[in-house]
Amino acid sequence: MKKSYLLISIMIVVIIGLSGCWMKKTVETMSEQPNQSVNKPVPEQEPEVKNPVFPQTEERPVAVMIDNEGVARSRQSGMHKAYAVYEMVAEGGETRFMAFFKGVNPEVIGPVRSSRHYFLHYALEHDPIYVHFGWSPLAERGIATLNVNNINGIRGVDEEIFWRNPDKRGDWQNAFTSMERIKSMIERKKYRDKTNVSVFKYSTDQLELTDGKQAHNIKIPYSYYRTVNYQYDQPSRIYKRFQGEKPHTDAVSKVQYSAKNIIIAFVRNYLLNDGTKTGRQQMDTVGSGKGYYITNGKYTEITWKKSGKTAKTEFKDKNGSEITLNNGQTWIQIVPVGADVSIK
């Protein structure tokens, strides 16, 4: 009889323990719902990802605004899987990124930041779904008047695809998403998911700028305290990217960001006269100007021309022909006119 009581007692303890584990798992699962301000488990460190070949697919691209200010710089995730990344001045001499994804499924993208109206002018060239977390007044107006298919982290159901990093530093710089969640919202909002738009022309073979000049070290100053550097890696034939003197590294994969192609376009920017003290910028995206195209250790001078806000920017060589890019990731550096860019 005593053995029977002992056996029953042991079974009760085991059942209670299993129930506790099940309840704990249930609570953890509930906390992962996207409308909760908690951190999403970060996947294990990914193997190094080489520059992605531009995906020849009709899939409509996704453009995501990425923060590049202060603490956000140590949190940046997912950009190594983009086929193109634009960098432009935001407020106070800081810059902001707009990364384009197509045919890839990064598990962490961010920190997602707010829209600025001049980013829209370049975004619309790609016919993307535009993902952002807030907006300036002009960007809000532009998204409405230009009929941009967008997902905004501060609006209604759109909030559900984002999660928050639990680090309290810079609580406006800790919104993240994933391509899986973005696609679920695209389907939910019934946005068109196919396109025939192609912004860049790519070479099927390794393109060499035979008449170009050496470009092994590139320095791009956006302001007196915000500088971008690229260093050419001969074995891989790509450019390693640095923010200042520090390697620009993905927070999740630990991969240093890099470029197969670098386009530098000099575009006039100036303080927006909107009656506020925010320091927001205006940019003359429509018009023409000069720049450089850099690939495989060399550079050549180019020109750019954009006839309207939604028109494709035409990058042409000195012969007046559209430039051809090498297959791989492209960084488009929209740089203030007069910036002392150095290419050596």
Side-chain angles (χ1 to χ4, degrees), residues 1 34 36 56 95 148 182-183 222 226 228 330 332 334 342:
M1 182 66 70
Q36 301 293 318
Q56 300 296 331
T95 64
V148 180
I182 291 171
K183 286 182 177 179
Y222 275 94
R226 187 62 67 233
V228 177
T330 302
I332 302 93
I334 306 298
S342 170

Side-chain angles (χ1 to χ4, degrees), residues 58-194:
E58 292 182 350
E59 179 183 343
R60 196 175 176 195
V62 171
V64 185
M65 296 296 298
I66 306 290
D67 197 359
N68 192 37
E69 178 186 357
V71 69
R73 294 159 75 87
S74 64
R75 298 172 176 173
Q76 289 163 349
S77 307
M79 286 193 290
H80 60 301
K81 293 188 175 182
Y83 71 82
V85 183
Y86 288 72
E87 182 173 18
M88 285 179 263
V89 170
E91 294 84 80
E94 296 287 357
T95 64
R96 195 162 296 182
F97 300 123
M98 180 170 58
F100 288 84
F101 302 93
K102 188 173 184 176
V104 293
N105 292 287
E107 296 182 39
V108 184
I109 305 172
V112 184
R113 196 68 189 273
S114 58
S115 173
R116 294 294 178 267
H117 64 286
Y118 43 87
F119 278 90
L120 295 174
H121 303 164
Y122 293 105
L124 290 169
E125 298 183 21
H126 295 255
D127 186 31
I129 288 93
Y130 183 68
V131 180
H132 56 108
F133 206 94
W135 43 23
S136 65
L138 279 180
E140 180 180 11
R141 189 183 312 160
I143 287 172
T145 58
L146 297 171
N147 196 28
V148 180
N149 287 166
N150 72 307
I151 299 173
N152 183 2
I154 63 170
R155 280 291 178 90
V157 297
D158 292 11
E159 299 178 36
E160 296 178 14
I161 71 165
F162 296 91
W163 68 84
R164 293 283 191 171
N165 186 308
D167 189 338
K168 299 302 181 184
R169 295 175 301 158
D171 59 1
W172 65 95
Q173 299 171 295
N174 61 3
F176 294 83
T177 188
S178 68
M179 190 56 62
E180 181 181 4
R181 294 190 181 195
I182 291 171
K183 286 182 177 179
S184 70
M185 187 56 66
I186 291 171
E187 183 177 357
R188 184 171 176 178
K189 300 183 83 159
K190 302 187 185 307
Y191 285 154
R192 173 174 49 84
D193 60 0
K194 303 292 183 184

Side-chain angles (χ1 to χ4, degrees), residues 32-33 39-40 91 116 123 140 142 156 218 251 253 282 322:
E32 283 304 306
Q33 295 303 311
N39 186 39
K40 180 179 185 290
E91 294 84 80
R116 294 294 178 267
E140 180 180 11
I218 298 98
S253 69
Q282 180 64 282
E322 180 183 2

Side-chain angles (χ1 to χ4, degrees), residues 204-338:
T204 55
D205 302 311
Q206 277 291 322
L207 172 71
E208 306 293 344
L209 300 179
T210 54
D211 60 345
K213 300 177 182 178
Q214 179 175 293
H216 286 188
N217 294 280
I218 298 98
K219 182 178 180 180
I220 307 171
Y222 275 94
S223 63
Y224 72 92
Y225 60 88
R226 187 62 67 233
T227 301
V228 177
N229 293 280
Y230 290 95
Q231 292 181 6
Y232 186 55
D233 182 69
Q234 182 68 51
S236 63
R237 308 196 78 186
I238 61 175
Y239 288 88
K240 297 289 187 179
R241 184 180 160 88
F242 295 77
Q243 299 245 50
E245 301 300 322
K246 297 180 180 180
H248 190 188
T249 305
D250 189 85
V252 177
S253 69
K254 309 306 179 186
V255 171
Q256 183 175 358
Y257 291 137
S258 59
K260 183 65 177 178
N261 308 290
I262 303 168
I263 295 174
I264 299 174
F266 293 100
V267 178
R268 180 172 176 260
N269 73 283
Y270 45 96
L271 189 65
L272 179 64
N273 184 18
D274 61 355
T276 71
K277 296 181 180 180
T278 59
R280 294 194 181 106
Q281 299 288 296
Q282 180 64 282
M283 190 169 291
D284 292 341
T285 56
V286 176
S288 60
K290 297 180 179 181
Y292 302 105
Y293 171 45
I294 305 166
T295 191
N296 284 349
K298 292 187 176 182
Y299 81 94
T300 186
E301 295 181 1
I302 61 172
T303 60
W304 67 265
K305 183 178 180 181
K306 187 174 172 68
S307 59
K309 290 180 180 179
T310 63
K312 172 183 171 180
T313 303
E314 299 176 353
F315 295 107
K316 294 186 176 182
D317 62 22
K318 61 184 179 182
N319 297 318
S321 300
E322 180 183 2
I323 65 171
T324 301
L325 307 183
N326 272 309
N327 250 324
Q329 191 176 53
T330 302
W331 283 72
I332 302 93
Q333 307 288 158
I334 306 298
V335 180
V337 171

